[in-house]
mmCIF file of all heavy atoms in Angstrom:
data_model
loop_
_atom_site.group_PDB
_atom_site.id
_atom_site.type_symbol
_atom_site.label_atom_id
_atom_site.label_comp_id
_atom_site.label_asym_id
_atom_site.label_seq_id
_atom_site.Cartn_x
_atom_site.Cartn_y
_atom_site.Cartn_z
ATOM 1 N N SER A 1737 -12.371 -16.197 4.826
ATOM 2 C CA SER A 1737 -11.758 -16.486 3.528
ATOM 3 C C SER A 1737 -10.300 -16.870 3.718
ATOM 4 O O SER A 1737 -9.648 -16.427 4.667
ATOM 5 C CB SER A 1737 -11.868 -15.280 2.594
ATOM 6 O OG SER A 1737 -11.235 -14.149 3.161
ATOM 7 N N SER A 1738 -9.804 -17.684 2.781
ATOM 8 C CA SER A 1738 -8.429 -18.169 2.840
ATOM 9 C C SER A 1738 -7.875 -18.244 1.432
ATOM 10 O O SER A 1738 -8.612 -18.403 0.453
ATOM 11 C CB SER A 1738 -8.359 -19.559 3.492
ATOM 12 O OG SER A 1738 -8.999 -19.572 4.749
ATOM 13 N N SER A 1739 -6.539 -18.153 1.363
ATOM 14 C CA SER A 1739 -5.863 -18.279 0.084
ATOM 15 C C SER A 1739 -4.432 -18.728 0.325
ATOM 16 O O SER A 1739 -3.717 -18.124 1.131
ATOM 17 C CB SER A 1739 -5.882 -16.949 -0.679
ATOM 18 O OG SER A 1739 -5.141 -17.046 -1.874
ATOM 19 N N ILE A 1740 -4.027 -19.802 -0.358
ATOM 20 C CA ILE A 1740 -2.646 -20.288 -0.326
ATOM 21 C C ILE A 1740 -2.185 -20.376 -1.770
ATOM 22 O O ILE A 1740 -2.831 -21.034 -2.592
ATOM 23 C CB ILE A 1740 -2.540 -21.662 0.357
ATOM 24 C CG1 ILE A 1740 -3.094 -21.598 1.785
ATOM 25 C CG2 ILE A 1740 -1.102 -22.152 0.370
ATOM 26 C CD1 ILE A 1740 -3.129 -22.956 2.473
ATOM 27 N N SER A 1741 -1.087 -19.714 -2.102
ATOM 28 C CA SER A 1741 -0.672 -19.661 -3.503
ATOM 29 C C SER A 1741 0.838 -19.789 -3.635
ATOM 30 O O SER A 1741 1.602 -19.368 -2.761
ATOM 31 C CB SER A 1741 -1.135 -18.348 -4.150
ATOM 32 O OG SER A 1741 -0.483 -17.245 -3.561
ATOM 33 N N TYR A 1742 1.211 -20.362 -4.751
ATOM 34 C CA TYR A 1742 2.618 -20.422 -5.154
ATOM 35 C C TYR A 1742 2.693 -19.972 -6.606
ATOM 36 O O TYR A 1742 1.922 -20.444 -7.458
ATOM 37 C CB TYR A 1742 3.170 -21.839 -5.025
ATOM 38 C CG TYR A 1742 4.570 -21.983 -5.594
ATOM 39 C CD1 TYR A 1742 5.676 -21.534 -4.893
ATOM 40 C CD2 TYR A 1742 4.766 -22.540 -6.857
ATOM 41 C CE1 TYR A 1742 6.957 -21.653 -5.421
ATOM 42 C CE2 TYR A 1742 6.045 -22.664 -7.389
ATOM 43 C CZ TYR A 1742 7.133 -22.218 -6.663
ATOM 44 O OH TYR A 1742 8.403 -22.324 -7.191
ATOM 45 N N SER A 1743 3.579 -19.046 -6.890
ATOM 46 C CA SER A 1743 3.710 -18.517 -8.243
ATOM 47 C C SER A 1743 5.153 -18.648 -8.709
ATOM 48 O O SER A 1743 6.095 -18.562 -7.906
ATOM 49 C CB SER A 1743 3.265 -17.049 -8.299
ATOM 50 O OG SER A 1743 4.056 -16.253 -7.443
ATOM 51 N N LYS A 1744 5.298 -18.848 -9.999
ATOM 52 C CA LYS A 1744 6.614 -19.034 -10.599
ATOM 53 C C LYS A 1744 6.650 -18.291 -11.918
ATOM 54 O O LYS A 1744 5.700 -18.341 -12.712
ATOM 55 C CB LYS A 1744 6.885 -20.527 -10.824
ATOM 56 C CG LYS A 1744 8.194 -20.853 -11.527
ATOM 57 C CD LYS A 1744 9.394 -20.608 -10.624
ATOM 58 C CE LYS A 1744 10.685 -21.060 -11.326
ATOM 59 N NZ LYS A 1744 11.882 -20.800 -10.489
ATOM 60 N N THR A 1745 7.746 -17.590 -12.171
ATOM 61 C CA THR A 1745 7.939 -16.857 -13.417
ATOM 62 C C THR A 1745 9.117 -17.444 -14.173
ATOM 63 O O THR A 1745 10.204 -17.627 -13.601
ATOM 64 C CB THR A 1745 8.187 -15.364 -13.138
ATOM 65 O OG1 THR A 1745 7.067 -14.817 -12.453
ATOM 66 C CG2 THR A 1745 8.400 -14.601 -14.436
ATOM 67 N N PHE A 1746 8.883 -17.709 -15.455
ATOM 68 C CA PHE A 1746 9.959 -18.170 -16.335
ATOM 69 C C PHE A 1746 10.348 -16.986 -17.212
ATOM 70 O O PHE A 1746 9.632 -16.649 -18.171
ATOM 71 C CB PHE A 1746 9.485 -19.352 -17.172
ATOM 72 C CG PHE A 1746 9.063 -20.534 -16.348
ATOM 73 C CD1 PHE A 1746 7.734 -20.683 -15.960
ATOM 74 C CD2 PHE A 1746 9.979 -21.480 -15.937
ATOM 75 C CE1 PHE A 1746 7.333 -21.765 -15.207
ATOM 76 C CE2 PHE A 1746 9.586 -22.566 -15.169
ATOM 77 C CZ PHE A 1746 8.267 -22.709 -14.798
ATOM 78 N N PRO A 1747 11.454 -16.309 -16.922
ATOM 79 C CA PRO A 1747 11.748 -15.019 -17.569
ATOM 80 C C PRO A 1747 12.173 -15.108 -19.021
ATOM 81 O O PRO A 1747 12.146 -14.107 -19.727
ATOM 82 C CB PRO A 1747 12.895 -14.461 -16.694
ATOM 83 C CG PRO A 1747 13.539 -15.666 -16.097
ATOM 84 C CD PRO A 1747 12.463 -16.680 -15.906
ATOM 85 N N ALA A 1748 12.582 -16.279 -19.518
ATOM 86 C CA ALA A 1748 13.019 -16.370 -20.912
ATOM 87 C C ALA A 1748 11.876 -16.012 -21.849
ATOM 88 O O ALA A 1748 10.715 -16.350 -21.603
ATOM 89 C CB ALA A 1748 13.539 -17.774 -21.201
#
Side-chain angles (χ1 to χ4, degrees):
S1737 59
S1738 307
S1739 176
I1740 302 175
S1741 65
Y1742 173 78
S1743 60
K1744 176 72 175 178
T1745 300
F1746 300 92

